[in-house]
Amino acid sequence: MCGIIGYTGVEEAQKIMLDALEILEYRGYDSAGIAVCGRDGSIRIRKCAGRVKDLRLLCEKSGIFGTCGIGHTRWATHGGVSDANAHPHKFGKVTVAHNGIVENYRDLVQRYHLEEKLQSQTDSEVAAAVLDHFYNTDPLAAIRKTVLKLKGTFALSIMFDDIPGTIFAVRNVSPIVIARAQGGSMLASDVTALGQYSREYFVLPEFYVAELKETAVELYDMAGEAAEPEWLTVNWDVDRGSKGGYPFYMEKEIMEQPQVIRETVMPRIQGGIPDLGGDGIPDSLLMDCKRICVVACGTAMHAGLVGKALMQSLVRIHMDVELASEFMYTDVIVDEDTLVIAISQSGETIDTLEAVKHAKKSGAKTLAIVNVRGASVARASDYVIYTNAGPEIAVASTKAYTTQLAVLYLLTGRMAYVRGSFGAEEAKAFAGELMRVPEVMQRVLDRKEEIHYIARSILNAQNVFMMGRGLDHAILLEGSLKLKEISYIHSEAYASGELKHGTIALITEDTPVVAVVTQGKVKSKEFSNIKEVQSRGAGVILFIKETFGLEKEASWESVFMLPAMEDGFMVMPASAALQLLAYYVSLDKGLDVDKPRNLAKVVTVE
Ligand code: M6R
């Protein structure tokens, strides 16, 4: 959940690292630090609780100069948020920045008699101490011995006092990518931090050691044998990683959706029909499975719920959606007849990754829907479909969600076609409607100020309820998560018909209700349920498909008419509207929209 950076080359490391840490800050933002090997060969550290901007101020007052360094931005796990617990940590001759969790750190403290010697409460300093214990003059041997002792997940960037100008890196699960750039070599937790410096990078394989020098990067396996990196190319424009004139990444990413959905869908329509052959997905995979099980967390799990509604109604296949964090502990039934679909923006969410490994052991086929190329979930799965959303920096997921939905539509369309639920004409009509999504969604985005106005009515609410049925309920679960995480307003999304079984007791005139009505087959029931909350005094904000029409006598807090598509596709324009609603509430509350409290973009702890 932290971000790490490393640079060795001909330029000042401090500047490069501070700039890169600002980009990586979305991975964790409660403290930050850098260590630089000075021209005299000594390693100096600057670190503090707070944001990268606080670290920058510290470095402006008292800079550390040199051309080799490592840096870190932290999301606290072991040890509170304090200057001492910020990384990097130095122990003896070893300086370390760590992302992950060393689960057996207490055993290591005892075994290596570290009780009185540590400066912080972190598991990461323990890793540095164990490395120092094993280090004599052979860094690779010390790293090998250390990783054999560590239990848990780790991405370590390491400097040794007596090897100036060189950074070592090793990882298990937590990611590290490496590039040749800026007159030297760089490493980072993810490629967004390197994209402005280099288009070529490789993902450090697990349990390999990388040695970064000014002139080259060497890669070794655990036996010390040299290995060849598998180079990848950054597949998005560098300005995709910038704010592009918007006040927050979230707004920019919401506004990018028509384009990235187009880029996700268009290459996968062949002869007017959804086709996943270019992704290496054989039709047999879609034809032979007897059931589908999605594993995912948060927003990605909500995308799975939309997928489930589509698959069940159009393909008539049994589909479950499981919280990845519960998957291994609830005896979910998956076997060789199950297609397990792992959905993850980052591809690094540890719960999702572990669920994929568990599913494979149970004999299931695994298919990943992932945004970040080469990410762990993609590598662990038998098949992968990449969403082409480009880097998503805001902690609140928006364009990743709708591109995940786009892939789920493509999968549904292809599956319905190859399994015979759709004939060629139906498959073409389905693909045709999917190709309309960018244009229809754009019409919602063009009216963002209308939604800004509507957002004012929930600005001061303590609680918000959201209600709808079927697909409307599925997207409201996501709309509600969005509102909670960035506005800190308690919000619950309810299947409309379920409210009367208890929760309606909470509805008062102080409880704004957001209702979505886009599904013809449940529209009249949704209106009945809306009347139930209105009778208890609730003001209702209604998002409704424009062709549905409103009863004249009904009164609304506000109404937003959603441009019409086939009912099955209304989730796309409605999702954009709900994202904007949450965004404007957070913005008008003066909150840090992109970096909500307590959260991190990439969740690599269980
Ligand atoms: O990277 P992933 O898609 O696996 O992340 C899953 C969740 O952590 C993520 O969707 C989270 O719920 C977002 N903050 C929601 O906006």
Side-chain angles (χ1 to χ4, degrees):
M1 321 252 305
C2 307
I4 59 177
I5 186 76
Y7 170 77
T8 181
V10 295
E11 297 191 18
E12 280 300 335
Q14 175 180 284
K15 180 181 179 329
I16 290 176
M17 290 196 294
L18 288 173
D19 291 350
L21 284 177
E22 244 154 34
I23 296 171
L24 286 177
E25 198 172 27
Y26 71 108
R27 298 180 64 93
Y29 35 86
D30 56 40
S31 35
I34 56 170
V36 175
C37 176
R39 291 186 177 83
D40 61 356
S42 64
I43 291 176
R44 294 189 184 83
I45 296 178
R46 296 287 178 271
K47 58 183 186 173
C48 60
R51 297 282 174 97
V52 174
K53 66 177 166 27
D54 302 305
L55 176 66
R56 201 180 270 283
L57 284 176
L58 190 65
C59 293
E60 275 166 17
K61 279 190 209 136
S62 165
I64 41 177
F65 300 103
T67 56
C68 176
I70 57 176
H72 189 267
T73 176
R74 180 171 188 242
W75 187 86
T77 54
H78 291 70
V81 177
S82 68
D83 292 354
N85 288 338
H87 298 217
H89 294 285
K90 184 162 181 10
F91 194 103
K93 286 185 170 174
V94 176
T95 307
V96 149
H98 168 225
N99 169 24
I101 290 189
V102 179
E103 289 168 6
N104 60 334
Y105 76 102
R106 282 203 183 85
D107 300 342
L108 296 171
V109 167
Q110 276 189 348
R111 179 155 184 189
Y112 297 103
H113 310 293
L114 301 171
E115 290 86 353
E116 305 299 320
K117 299 180 188 158
L118 299 168
Q119 309 288 316
S120 74
Q121 291 107 41
T122 65
D123 53 333
S124 312
E125 191 187 4
V126 176
V130 176
L131 257 170
D132 185 64
H133 170 86
F134 285 121
Y135 182 57
N136 190 356
T137 52
D138 184 347
L140 295 181
I143 292 169
R144 276 198 298 273
K145 286 178 190 162
T146 301
V147 299
L148 291 175
K149 300 287 176 207
L150 301 182
K151 290 202 178 112
T153 58
F154 50 83
L156 292 166
S157 58
I158 308 157
M159 294 196 294
F160 294 92
D161 276 3
D162 51 356
I163 318 180
T166 303
I167 300 169
F168 295 88
V170 66
R171 75 178 191 100
N172 174 36
V173 182
S174 306
I176 293 183
V177 294
I178 295 174
R180 292 276 306 140
Q182 295 299 98
S185 309
M186 291 184 81
L187 67 81
S189 292
D190 67 53
V191 74
T192 46
L194 302 184
Q196 60 179 315
Y197 302 115
S198 174
R199 308 297 295 164
E200 307 294 318
Y201 68 100
F202 69 91
V203 179
L204 176 63
E206 287 175 313
F207 293 103
Y208 278 64
V209 180
E211 182 176 359
L212 285 76
K213 296 182 184 159
E214 179 196 320
T215 49
V217 178
E218 310 290 350
L219 187 62
Y220 303 97
D221 66 16
M222 273 289 132
E225 297 293 322
E228 271 305 307
E230 202 182 300
W231 291 94
L232 301 169
T233 304
V234 176
N235 67 335
W236 36 265
D237 296 337
V238 172
D239 61 2
R240 281 271 174 93
S242 75
K243 281 191 201 158
Y246 290 96
F248 288 100
Y249 281 107
M250 185 178 175
E251 185 177 347
K252 178 187 174 238
E253 290 163 4
I254 290 172
M255 301 308 283
E256 277 175 355
Q257 290 179 106
Q259 187 185 342
V260 294
I261 291 170
R262 198 173 286 118
E263 288 167 7
T264 299
V265 169
M266 293 313 284
R268 293 168 172 135
I269 307 280
Q270 300 294 327
I273 289 175
D275 189 333
L276 300 165
D279 298 278
I281 311 295
D283 285 339
S284 58
L285 181 75
L286 312 181
M287 285 160 74
D288 296 345
C289 64
K290 297 204 168 72
R291 54 186 287 264
I292 301 174
C293 177
V294 165
V295 290
C297 301
T299 292
M301 187 275 290
H302 292 154
L305 292 174
V306 173
K308 173 180 167 164
L310 296 172
M311 284 281 186
Q312 287 192 168
S313 85
L314 298 175
V315 186
R316 304 297 297 148
I317 187 169
H318 180 99
M319 181 157 166
D320 296 305
V321 178
E322 301 289 340
L323 291 170
S325 56
E326 293 288 309
F327 183 69
M328 283 176 299
Y329 313 107
T330 46
D331 301 320
V332 175
I333 297 165
V334 292
D335 56 22
E336 50 284 353
D337 291 328
T338 314
L339 173 62
V340 168
I341 302 180
I343 308 177
S344 175
Q345 187 285 129
S346 63
E348 300 297 344
T349 301
I350 189 84
D351 289 322
T352 308
L353 182 60
E354 292 302 321
V356 168
K357 290 179 183 166
H358 184 72
K360 280 182 97 170
K361 276 195 205 132
S362 311
K365 304 272 186 322
T366 52
L367 164 63
I369 299 176
V370 166
N371 192 34
V372 177
R373 276 175 198 262
S376 304
V377 171
R379 286 170 174 256
S381 302
D382 300 318
Y383 301 94
V384 57
I385 304 176
Y386 286 108
T387 52
N388 294 340
E392 189 181 67
I393 310 287
V395 165
S397 186
T398 54
K399 62 176 180 170
Y401 170 69
T402 48
T403 52
Q404 287 161 356
L405 293 182
V407 169
L408 288 163
Y409 277 100
L410 288 161
L411 257 180
T412 305
R414 184 71 194 175
M415 211 156 178
Y417 177 60
V418 297
R419 291 170 78 108
S421 313
F422 280 171
E425 289 316 307
E426 286 165 297
K428 283 183 186 169
F430 183 84
E433 194 64 355
L434 182 56
M435 289 190 282
R436 279 186 65 223
V437 165
E439 171 242 314
V440 176
M441 198 180 248
Q442 187 62 53
R443 279 158 56 199
V444 174
L445 301 179
D446 289 344
R447 291 160 59 203
K448 63 182 182 177
E449 279 312 321
E450 261 179 72
I451 299 177
H452 194 171
Y453 184 80
I454 292 172
R456 293 191 181 121
S457 57
I458 52 177
L459 211 53
N460 298 314
Q462 299 289 315
N463 300 291
V464 169
F465 275 84
M466 300 200 178
M467 59 191 285
R469 287 176 177 239
L471 275 173
D472 290 336
H473 176 232
I475 56 163
L476 282 167
L477 287 167
E478 172 55 14
S480 177
L481 174 64
K482 225 66 321 162
L483 185 67
K484 273 185 271 216
E485 71 181 324
I486 60 170
S487 77
Y488 314 147
I489 294 174
H490 168 244
S491 165
E492 277 194 59
Y494 249 76
S496 315
E498 191 61 19
L499 268 170
K500 58 186 172 293
H501 296 290
T503 308
I504 201 165
L506 296 175
I507 302 288
T508 68
E509 59 276 13
D510 295 326
T511 323
V513 171
V514 175
V516 172
V517 178
T518 68
Q519 303 297 303
K521 67 178 175 191
V522 287
K523 178 179 74 166
S524 60
K525 293 206 183 326
E526 289 183 320
F527 276 126
S528 304
N529 299 140
I530 289 170
K531 286 202 179 97
E532 289 159 12
V533 296
Q534 286 175 324
S535 310
R536 273 83 190 167
V540 175
I541 297 163
L542 180 67
F543 291 89
I544 184 168
K545 180 167 162 173
E546 64 187 356
T547 48
F548 279 177
L550 291 173
E551 288 174 19
K552 285 207 180 63
E553 66 275 18
S555 78
W556 306 99
E557 185 67 38
S558 35
V559 177
F560 186 90
M561 292 287 181
L562 292 162
M565 304 195 73
E566 294 289 325
D567 284 5
F569 291 84
M570 283 304 295
V571 296
M572 291 297 215
S575 293
L578 294 172
Q579 292 166 351
L580 285 167
L581 184 73
Y583 172 74
Y584 283 120
V585 174
S586 178
L587 185 76
D588 287 354
K589 284 181 114 180
L591 299 171
D592 186 344
V593 180
D594 288 338
K595 298 191 183 85
R597 69 185 178 209
N598 303 339
L599 299 182
K601 181 73 179 164
V602 186
V603 183
T604 51
V605 294
E606 283 178 87

